Amino acid sequence: MTIRFDDRVAIVTGAGGGLGRQYALELARRGARVVVNDLGGDRTGTGASDAAQAVVEEIAAAGGEAMANGGSVTDYDQMVEMVARAKERWGGVHILINNAGVLRDKTFAKMEPADFEFVVRVHLIGSAFATKACWETFRAQNYGRILMTASSTGLFGNFGQANYGAAKMGLAGLTKTLYLEGAKNDVRVNTLAPTAGTRMTEDLFPAEAFKLFDPAKVVAAALFLVSEGAPTNQIVASGAGVTAAVNVTLTPGKLLTGDDLSPEGIAANWDAITDRTGEIVPKSGAEQGMLAAKALQAG
Ligand code: NAI
């Protein structure tokens, strides 16, 4: 069955280039009306340009409908304004892809606190602000699809990207609570960890890999995750045409009592504690407490 977005309004943040532009183009091609948000700065988040407008013109030239928005995701009022403009013109907003991002890489030893804060502000706080600006609309209409953009750095780590990694893992955490709070109103929330050759990765990838990791190859996973039949609470990795699932798991653990419940007891039982046999993927934080209760009951 063809996945279409007719009668849907989608906001893609940071859609003036890279991955966001690809998402916006394909959403529009499949019938969505798209808000192309981007303030058009450089990779570090400095400066501004009309990158969003250029993508809107590209969409229009292909017969689609889009509007540009030059607001910064770090400014909550601008996000509220962006949603208001979309609703005014098209009567609603149904999809939000939080994609805007910047890099200020340095080892933690050399990183200025301000650069840590700025990167967390754009990725994590910016995604929360854009989401918050849409949230009541999604709840009121009993429909919303939200995609957070994480990264392998956040999920698994990468030398020199402490600020970025912290923000990106934070987004997976945001997904895990918002999916619970949105479930009653059919608001589904997922996280995508893309790998793509864009300006963000141009000095990381050799030329050959850069081509293999064409950002267009991430579009399929992103669009599926904001479609009507999307799952919820999923973390998906996508790059070069390979799509994979990422899970946060919990081992069955080990019940210790008396003298064994000591740092020495933990050390002595470390292998059993970390044994992954029978590990689960909890659907909410409550399952951690339930696991302990069950272990106590079993004695
Ligand atoms: P990109 O640099 O081409 O795209 C990011 C866009 O966000 C830019 O157009 C930029 O102007 C915009 N932006 C930055 N700050 C903004 C703000 N405050 N408000 C609105 N827009 C803002 O890079 P790329 O690769 O397309 O990145 C897209 C997303 O994917 C980012 O969140 C990035 O962290 C994430 N990502 C990319 C990976 C890759 O391999 N390219 C790997 C993992 C994650």
Side-chain angles (χ1 to χ4, degrees):
M1 202 188 66
T2 310
I3 292 182
R4 300 265 326 161
F5 296 92
D6 302 300
D7 302 322
R8 298 291 185 212
V9 176
I11 296 175
V12 185
T13 68
L19 287 158
R21 171 176 160 271
Q22 299 286 344
Y23 304 155
L25 291 173
E26 188 60 17
L27 280 164
R29 212 180 63 78
R30 289 172 181 257
R33 281 155 295 178
V34 183
V35 178
V36 178
N37 159 268
D38 208 302
L39 50 69
D42 69 12
R43 198 170 75 168
T44 68
T46 311
S49 71
D50 58 358
Q53 186 54 38
V55 175
V56 166
E57 280 160 23
E58 230 180 316
I59 288 172
E65 215 182 324
M67 77 162 84
N69 175 276
S72 171
V73 294
T74 58
D75 185 322
Y76 180 61
D77 291 342
Q78 289 182 9
M79 292 299 97
V80 170
E81 178 71 15
M82 172 178 72
V83 171
R85 290 286 81 79
K87 288 176 75 174
E88 204 176 270
R89 177 147 161 207
W90 293 317
V93 173
H94 310 93
I95 293 165
L96 170 66
I97 301 186
N98 284 304
N99 165 82
V102 292
L103 281 185
R104 292 194 179 178
D105 293 358
K106 278 210 171 95
T107 60
F108 195 57
K110 291 184 182 148
M111 190 178 289
E112 291 298 331
D115 284 340
F116 196 99
E117 196 173 357
F118 182 74
V119 168
V120 171
R121 176 155 274 279
V122 173
H123 290 274
L124 181 55
I125 310 289
S127 299
F129 281 179
T131 301
K132 175 75 181 161
C134 294
W135 194 250
E136 270 321 302
T137 302
F138 288 177
R139 277 164 37 88
Q141 71 198 8
N142 285 314
Y143 191 91
R145 298 289 181 266
I146 301 168
L147 187 62
M148 306 292 180
T149 306
S151 159
S152 56
T153 295
L155 301 170
F156 312 119
N158 192 27
F159 195 95
Q161 292 195 311
N163 49 1
Y164 182 75
K168 289 306 200 185
M169 193 54 159
L171 286 163
L174 184 58
T175 295
K176 289 194 167 292
T177 284
L178 290 186
Y179 108 87
L180 291 168
E181 295 188 9
K184 189 168 72 136
N185 300 103
D186 196 17
V187 180
R188 303 185 197 176
V189 192
N190 295 293
T191 300
L192 179 68
T195 311
T198 66
R199 71 178 189 177
M200 217 175 241
T201 46
E202 65 195 351
D203 24 290
L204 299 175
F205 286 12
E208 219 21 64
F210 200 80
K211 254 195 271 159
L212 266 179
F213 285 88
D214 184 340
K217 293 186 184 174
V218 176
V219 172
L223 264 59
F224 168 66
L225 291 171
V226 296
S227 65
E228 192 160 345
T232 190
N233 188 32
Q234 297 298 307
I235 305 172
V236 172
S238 169
V242 178
T243 312
V246 179
N247 287 299
V248 180
T249 66
L250 183 65
T251 66
K254 174 83 183 159
L255 174 63
L256 299 174
T257 56
D259 289 348
D260 285 342
L261 189 54
S262 59
E264 296 77 11
I266 299 285
N269 286 283
W270 191 244
D271 284 350
I273 290 166
T274 55
D275 184 356
R276 299 186 59 188
T277 311
E279 72 182 0
I280 59 166
V281 179
K283 290 190 175 57
S284 81
E287 288 189 32
Q288 184 177 326
M290 275 153 54
L291 180 91
K294 234 165 71 186
L296 279 170
Q297 241 173 22

